[in-house]
Amino acid sequence: VDYPKAPDARARSMLLLTRVMSLVPMRLKNDMWNADVAFDLAAFHSLVRILKRALRQLVEASLTSILLLDLGRVNSLPDGFMCASPSRQDQTTTPAVLPTFMLPRACMGIVVRYFLEYSGSAAQFVTDVEGKFPCCQCAAKDLQLAFAFWDDLVRCVRDIAAPLEAEELYQEMTQATGLLAAQQRRLKLGPAQVAR
């Protein structure tokens, strides 16, 4: 039997980067996904889907409990306070006041893997990524948002690693950041400047 072998450090870093960044939604055209499929990301997203449904049910149950104690509070809830439909102006946002735990697709993780494995020239990358993923509205800009998300997540894990005894996770994220930064320098594509 040919069992899979434990991934090396580079493969672990790529798995971590693609899984984490696959949580970032992409702006897609009204078209079918006509690019690669990653079965690892599909399996990861089946677990994410279960977790997000459970979190949404927890939020709904908590809100129901609060409202049953005082039905007068119902009138203070704004319209669409848990609306999960994306905004027409920006598909990555919703009008919801409470977390909706929208289920993302694994698209960004597939684009990140393409970025990490890309061996062409920096001048040709944006053209190539747009051609490889024609169902994405702007794959390069969405990729930069995913990089910004990664940087923020690394900063958060760095701040909580010692108190929560998560130093090993932080070390793995630091190693993955090195892999990502090397490719970003080579392709001259860094994180987007996101307003905070």
Side-chain angles (χ1 to χ4, degrees):
V1 177
D2 188 22
Y3 291 110
K5 295 172 180 52
D8 62 358
R10 179 179 166 75
R12 280 195 315 272
S13 292
M14 285 187 65
L15 283 172
L16 183 59
L17 287 164
T18 57
R19 287 177 180 177
V20 168
M21 288 194 232
S22 73
L23 299 173
V24 176
M26 288 194 79
R27 292 169 285 192
L28 300 174
K29 298 174 184 171
N30 280 338
D31 199 1
M32 295 282 292
W33 180 258
N34 54 355
D36 297 338
V37 175
F39 292 105
D40 170 71
L41 288 174
F44 173 70
H45 273 267
S46 68
L47 297 174
V48 169
R49 201 170 291 118
I50 292 167
L51 177 64
K52 285 194 170 201
R53 280 198 186 112
L55 289 171
R56 182 171 175 108
Q57 289 172 347
L58 179 63
V59 167
E60 290 172 353
S62 300
L63 179 62
T64 301
S65 175
I66 291 168
L67 293 177
L68 285 175
L69 293 174
D70 183 4
L71 289 176
R73 293 183 181 180
V74 172
N75 297 329
S76 64
L77 295 173
D79 290 338
F81 68 96
M82 280 191 79
C83 177
S85 299
S87 166
R88 289 192 178 162
Q89 292 80 17
D90 182 6
Q91 292 181 350
T92 61
T93 62
T94 65
V97 176
L98 296 176
T100 58
F101 301 105
M102 286 297 297
L103 300 174
R105 297 179 184 164
C107 307
M108 181 56 75
I110 295 168
V111 175
V112 168
R113 178 176 298 274
Y114 178 79
F115 171 80
L116 292 171
E117 294 174 345
Y118 186 77
S119 59
S121 72
Q124 193 63 32
F125 175 73
V126 173
T127 305
D128 288 350
V129 76
E130 301 291 340
K132 177 78 173 171
F133 302 100
C135 52
C136 301
Q137 286 183 6
C138 192
K141 286 185 181 177
D142 288 346
L143 194 56
Q144 289 180 298
L145 291 174
F147 295 158
F149 174 75
W150 174 261
D151 289 346
D152 286 344
L153 186 64
V154 170
R155 181 183 46 78
C156 291
V157 170
R158 180 196 66 218
D159 292 346
I160 65 169
L164 296 180
E165 298 179 8
E167 290 91 356
E168 185 178 338
L169 173 62
Y170 179 63
Q171 288 173 351
E172 287 186 23
M173 291 183 84
T174 302
Q175 189 172 13
T177 299
L179 174 69
L180 177 64
Q183 188 71 332
Q184 285 174 326
R185 280 190 302 275
R186 192 180 82 71
L187 297 179
K188 298 175 180 63
L189 188 69
Q193 300 302 316
V194 181
R196 289 183 175 33

